[in-house]
Amino acid sequence: MASLDDLRRTADELPGSEERATTGGVAWFVRGKLYAWECHPWPSIPDDVREIVATELVVGVKVADPVDALALVQMAPDVFLRTTTPWGEPKVAFRMAGIDLEHLAELVTDAWRVQAPKYLRREFDGDA
């Protein structure tokens, strides 16, 4: 089972990544753009999903395309939540208890890539 510390370790390796405390928990940004966050049971979240978010650790990440989010939900509906809030799409939220460390690192890195400027992506890829 992955933890926020595991997410933190991955985010710390990404150029320009910054962790911030927010009203809903912790969140990670690159050049001021949100790419990963701890989900909070806001009233705007559907009741069934809010129950999950209120009782276990759920993380949201940006994705490149809504189709990517849908594919993850269809692939593992017990891990990936169908929706949280309508804001900040495209994104996907997942139960940390159902994610292994390798998949967590992939999700966080891909989310960072969605938001990071080209020069930081090149730096990370070693092309700078």
Side-chain angles (χ1 to χ4, degrees):
M1 175 171 94
S3 69
L4 285 179
D5 286 336
D6 297 318
L7 194 160
R8 207 170 264 121
R9 277 189 287 281
T10 298
D12 285 347
E13 296 176 3
L14 302 170
S17 180
E18 175 187 357
E19 180 178 334
R20 297 183 199 166
T22 65
T23 305
V26 291
W28 288 265
F29 296 79
V30 59
R31 301 288 298 157
K33 293 182 177 181
L34 178 68
Y35 72 90
W37 59 94
E38 181 180 5
C39 292
H40 187 73
W42 301 110
S44 57
I45 297 174
D47 291 342
D48 60 331
V49 176
R50 188 174 41 223
E51 283 182 37
I52 295 168
V53 172
T55 58
E56 60 186 277
L57 179 58
V58 175
V59 167
V61 293
K62 294 293 280 186
V63 293
D65 188 282
V67 173
D68 296 341
L70 182 60
L72 288 167
V73 171
Q74 290 176 342
M75 175 186 75
D78 55 325
V79 175
F80 292 92
L81 306 179
R82 61 177 171 74
T83 187
T84 53
T85 64
W87 309 296
E89 296 291 341
K91 65 184 176 190
V92 69
F94 53 89
R95 300 163 118 161
M96 288 288 275
I99 295 290
D100 65 42
L101 297 180
E102 186 176 320
H103 199 188
L104 175 66
E106 179 184 339
L107 289 164
V108 171
T109 302
D110 288 349
W112 173 86
R113 284 184 181 284
V114 168
Q115 299 291 60
K118 287 181 187 177
Y119 77 93
L120 287 178
R121 293 192 312 261
R122 284 193 303 264
E123 179 183 326
F124 181 71
D125 294 335
D127 297 339

